[in-house]
Amino acid sequence: MKTDPSVARLRFGRFELDEGEARLTCDGEAVALAPKPFAVLCALARTPGRLMTKNALLDLVWGHRFVTESVIKTAISELRAALDDDPKQPRYIETVSRRGYRFMAAAIGASSQSAPAVEWNVAAARGHPASAALAALCRGDAALAGLIRAVAATLEREPLVLN
């Protein structure tokens, strides 16, 4: 069965998100989350490390119908409570003042507990000389960019040895 790349399915920290199954778990236990905050999390998780504007979130989650930006703030507050994420020192959701939000943790496909998970710190990667090259290479494919960054970070810590 072919998986849909536009559907978020990943692990980050102690959490596992499966958009297709409408499930968020923490250490294997279900996390109660209302449909709109869950949809916001999925929208953000599909583009890790990239700014999601308020208008884009309104369009994706609410269809930009009869709502104000306050619904986003409410959904983000519920998400932060569920993820135990501090807005002043965020681990998962960064607020970009007056513009939108960014999902800060990138992960590699996580269909099981044994699947590898990689956490990526967006702020640390911004100054890296290869960031611009990666962005151009991936042409906006955030999942591919996250995977390349994860491999690069691993190689920086553990040099590749070829026999």
Side-chain angles (χ1 to χ4, degrees):
M1 180 166 97
K2 199 170 189 179
T3 59
D4 183 352
S6 67
V7 174
R9 185 174 184 156
L10 52 99
R11 277 193 300 136
F12 56 99
R14 299 172 32 219
F15 297 92
E16 185 169 345
L17 172 66
D18 187 339
E19 182 177 10
E21 294 295 321
R23 184 179 320 147
L24 176 66
T25 59
C26 179
D27 294 331
E29 298 291 322
V31 176
L33 201 54
K36 292 300 184 188
F38 183 82
V40 169
L41 177 60
C42 292
L44 292 171
R46 279 187 232 116
T47 58
R50 295 186 57 200
L51 173 68
M52 175 76 65
T53 66
K54 292 177 183 180
N55 282 335
L57 279 171
L58 286 170
D59 286 341
L60 284 169
V61 178
W62 287 272
H64 217 118
R65 293 188 202 124
F66 312 112
V67 294
T68 64
E69 289 181 5
S70 66
V71 297
I72 298 173
K73 289 180 183 180
T74 301
I76 293 291
S77 291
E78 289 180 36
L79 275 177
R80 286 190 170 132
L83 299 173
D84 193 27
D85 199 23
D86 181 357
K88 291 179 182 164
Q89 293 183 327
R91 291 175 294 161
Y92 305 121
I93 300 172
E94 175 188 23
T95 299
V96 180
S97 183
R98 299 180 184 185
R99 300 215 32 224
Y101 300 90
R102 179 179 291 119
F103 189 69
M104 296 171 55
I108 299 172
S111 59
S112 71
Q113 294 287 46
S114 62
V118 176
E119 214 166 285
W120 174 58
N121 183 329
V122 174
R126 279 194 193 113
H128 197 281
S131 292
L134 279 173
L137 175 68
C138 299
R139 297 177 193 234
D141 186 336
L144 179 59
L147 176 61
I148 291 171
R149 286 185 193 99
V151 170
T154 300
L155 290 174
E156 284 178 8
R157 287 191 309 272
E158 303 171 22
L160 182 62
V161 178
L162 299 174
N163 294 5

